[in-house]
Amino acid sequence: MTFPVVGMVGGGQLARMTHEAGIPLGIRFKLLSDTPQDSAAQVVGDVVVGDYRDLDTLREFARGCDVITFDHEHVPTEHLRALEADGIPVRPGPDALLYAQDKGEMRAKLTSLGVPCPRHRIVRDVADVVAFAAEGASEGASEGDGFPVILKTVRGGYDGKGVWFVRSEADAAEPFKAGVPVLAEEKVDFVRELAANVVRSPHGQAVAYPVVESQQVDGVCDTVIAPAPDLDETLAGEAQELALRVAKELGVVGHLAVELFETRGPDGKPGILVNELAMRPHNSGHWTQDGAITSQFANHVRAVLDLPLGDPRPRAPWTVMCNVLGGDFPDMYSAYLHCMARDPQLKIHMYGKDVKPGRKVGHVNTYGDDLDEVLDRARHAAGYLRGTITE
Amino acid sequence: MTFPVVGMVGGGQLARMTHEAGIPLGIRFKLLSDTPQDSAAQVVGDVVVGDYRDLDTLREFARGCDVITFDHEHVPTEHLRALEADGIPVRPGPDALLYAQDKGEMRAKLTSLGVPCPRHRIVRDVADVVAFAAEGASEGASEGDGFPVILKTVRGGYDGKGVWFVRSEADAAEPFKAGVPVLAEEKVDFVRELAANVVRSPHGQAVAYPVVESQQVDGVCDTVIAPAPDLDETLAGEAQELALRVAKELGVVGHLAVELFETRGPDGKPGILVNELAMRPHNSGHWTQDGAITSQFANHVRAVLDLPLGDPRPRAPWTVMCNVLGGDFPDMYSAYLHCMARDPQLKIHMYGKDVKPGRKVGHVNTYGDDLDEVLDRARHAAGYLRGTITE
């Protein structure tokens, strides 16, 4: 059979779960992993161990792949262009990926498209930060000196890393120490965080998942509720349309996660601002594995191969995803037994990673008709696996 | 983490789908495959290519596995006993597997347990067959000379192979040519075929899936409907209890498929007779991948590891599975595109096998509220992939 080969760069849990979703599709999956112990490398048949920052390694890996896609956004743009020049389809392509790699470029592009974003500016030093903050105060968006503000390195951050909550001028020097350009953003007074996830294929077909609520703890995704409870229907539609428009305008192929702030205007009217973009399967879409007709992983594979996309609709009234973070106990196996025995409907997804405190080592999905019950079950399992709940 | 290693013997699609189900469970999966091109060998990370009939190969493979389980029933019993003597848990164990390997042993054991079976006898020659048939006629179970009868080699048959429908004495010589013991069975005048699938763990926990209807074409499973439509509720309960009892009495660990004939007595009362047993994930349980809370593959893995079992209940009112057989066209990819575009809810499961006429190369699952619509969708997709439906 002439079923194609998908090459995925990066051996993390997203690649692991993409491989899982690709098995029933009959596609061949090839992995470029940093080490043979990486989460995905443990379960994939065709693994190349190598450094994605090395062009020769990428070129060698790409040989025999029908398309290249990604577990993360860190492959250098010039390497992606070189692969494209070699005739290898890269999806999402470098022109789109740039906006997921560089927060400064992302803000400039979205603003040019009229997509609502927090007030932002590239800042070069502490004085710039102070001026940026003061402007917010003078516009009435904040009080006093305009602090706090958010500073972010434009590249390389994730899960709260590369992000600083800056309360005053005295805190503002730290982010500049890495020598990377820094983006200042207003501290948005949001009601909650949402995510609008869409998948787009090269020929332009696109599907939108229900908008979800995403709850963060210490800058790391903790709980996702699908769909977002009590979300204004018009706003939900606007968020989906916004994500579809961003996918189209940026030329995204594959899964696009648009992380959003839900805001409440002085008139009480709800609104949305774009927080972050991710052009790959995303933590806010893990619920789809057990809660949607077609998972984000299956649709990502279908999109990068330009296959017709699958139905993104939910299978249950409520689905909840809770991340399992490493706790103080290095061995989760007995907790895992307990959780399975306690809740035979629980869907556990382990990543095969060594447990380290705070590290994402898995997630659980629950679904059902009663949101409180579904939330309780997911939170209990995640807490028990981490060791923060012991009964 | 001390997550265990499951070793599976046999590289077919059952191993492929068991690996897929094991990924989220975080277990390590090791495969013993005849060739590197086998269905499962294409997608598993840790593959040993070797001959399961060779004890040294099995012993080498078993090193580092926490448990050994099977994609097929063909591993010699003495090898399984040798592995057990080495201290490797073999699940299901050789004492149970015997009854899935040898139809004569199976009939004798089930009969001793009072489990309803077709009339049967081990026959040594054509004269034995004629006598067996005549007995059926004299008991009024059939007419004239008592033919037709069914002859089966006691070992090695599957998908209609090793089974003969014998219409007269003249046809009865063929099955004896292989020199393998032959089992004669009455031709059961059944209403339809059912399957009662259960999963049992070493500590005795067991779950029963809904009883399904299984439709065969030319001795090969074609369509499975879950649950079996219009099945008498009492009979459904009896079938589940029978399967649970067989699993317990035979000491089965893992998935047990009990293939049944549904019969109608002279009084119109429905009944069941056991047709075949399979001690591994089974074609009649493929619907569970998309139609049940926990799939047969996930529960098989959980059972062989003595993990608590997952909920076997259905997620939709109706789920239909249709096998995709190879047709005249060696390349299914364009048909596959068409099916995805036509039905975005279709769940396709391809096995990565070369297409040969009549070979099982995949299956499709559909689910929903309306059985006719769910059946139509599955049959259309399977027929289109095979090439027997072209519009």
Side-chain angles (χ1 to χ4, degrees), chain A residues 105-161:
Chain A
E105 297 285 354
M106 181 268 282
R107 285 288 178 234
K109 179 71 175 178
L110 293 185
T111 303
S112 78
L113 294 171
V115 171
C117 289
R119 195 171 67 85
H120 60 273
R121 185 172 320 139
I122 296 289
V123 286
R124 282 156 307 173
D125 52 28
V126 172
D128 272 2
V129 177
V130 172
F132 175 81
E135 255 173 53
S138 71
E139 287 170 10
S142 50
E143 292 177 11
D145 58 5
F147 283 96
V149 298
I150 308 295
L151 297 184
K152 299 175 174 177
T153 53
V154 295
R155 281 183 178 253
Y158 68 98
D159 280 353
K161 294 177 183 67

Side-chain angles (χ1 to χ4, degrees), chain B residues 236-258:
Chain B
E238 285 171 11
Q240 289 181 311
E241 279 172 31
L242 180 153
L244 289 167
R245 190 158 72 88
V246 168
K248 184 183 172 207
E249 296 290 349
L250 272 51
V252 177
V253 170
H255 189 267
L256 169 70
V258 181

Side-chain angles (χ1 to χ4, degrees), chain A residues 1-2 16 19 23-25 43-45 290 293 307 311 313 315 331 336-337 344-345 347 350 353, chain B residues 1-2 16 19 23-25 43-45 290 293 307 311 313 315 331 336-337 344-345 347-348 350 353:
Chain A
M1 288 209 260
T2 60
R16 180 183 176 100
H19 173 55
I23 293 173
L25 293 172
V43 299
V44 172
D290 301 296
I293 294 173
L307 289 165
D311 194 327
R313 283 177 300 167
R315 288 195 69 172
D331 190 348
Y336 161 93
L337 286 173
Q345 294 176 55
K347 307 310 284 185
M350 301 302 292
K353 290 167 142 185
Chain B
M1 286 208 258
T2 60
R16 179 183 176 101
H19 173 56
I23 293 174
L25 293 172
V43 299
V44 172
D290 301 296
I293 294 172
L307 289 165
D311 194 326
R313 284 177 300 166
R315 288 195 69 173
D331 190 348
Y336 162 93
L337 286 171
Q345 295 176 55
K347 308 309 284 185
I348 300 185
M350 301 302 293
K353 289 168 143 183

